[in-house]
Amino acid sequence: MNTLHIEHPVTDFQVWRDAFERFASARTDAGVRAHRIQRPLDDERYVLVELDFDDPDSAAGFLGFLESVVWASPANSPALEGSPRTRILQSVE
C-alpha cells in the first residue's frame, strides 16, 4: 500500500470539506482505495489527509493533479491556506 500524505492549514474546515467532497469521483478515477481526514486536537484549522493507492505511480499522478488543477485554483481549493506539505509513503508492515 502506498499513501499520499497531505497536510496544510485551512481558513474554514467545512468549506474545505465541501471542496474535498466535490473531487470524490476524481479520487476514485485516480485509484484511491481509501482516505482518512484528521485534525490535531489543538488546531481545528489544520488538516491531514491520507489517500491510499495500490502503487506509488498512481499516488504521484494524483499529486500532480492536485498541484496543477486543484491547488492552483482558488475556486477549486477554497479555504486552503498556505502551501500543502506532501509525501508519498510506502507501507513496510
Side-chain angles (χ1 to χ4, degrees), residues 1-5 27 30-36 49-55 58-59 89 91:
M1 183 68 58
N2 297 271
T3 301
L4 173 54
H5 176 88
R27 288 191 301 276
V32 174
R33 298 294 184 180
H35 73 269
R36 289 167 300 288
V49 179
E50 292 186 332
L51 306 171
D52 294 335
F53 295 86
D54 288 335
D55 60 81
S58 296
L89 309 171
S91 296

Side-chain angles (χ1 to χ4, degrees), residues 23-71:
F23 288 95
S25 63
R27 288 191 301 276
T28 300
D29 293 346
V32 174
R33 298 294 184 180
H35 73 269
R36 289 167 300 288
I37 300 171
Q38 299 175 309
R39 293 191 296 180
L41 290 174
D42 63 347
D43 190 354
E44 65 183 29
R45 293 181 50 185
Y46 201 83
V47 177
L48 295 95
V49 179
E50 292 186 332
L51 306 171
D52 294 335
F53 295 86
D54 288 335
D55 60 81
D57 291 339
S58 296
F62 193 67
L63 176 57
F65 167 77
L66 291 173
E67 292 170 334
S68 64
V69 174
V70 179
W71 300 335

Side-chain angles (χ1 to χ4, degrees), residues 8-21 37 47-49 71 77-80:
H8 57 80
V10 295
T11 58
D12 182 306
F13 178 76
Q14 192 57 53
V15 170
W16 175 87
R17 179 68 189 249
D18 292 344
F20 179 84
E21 291 306 323
I37 300 171
V47 177
L48 295 95
V49 179
W71 300 335
S77 58
L80 177 67

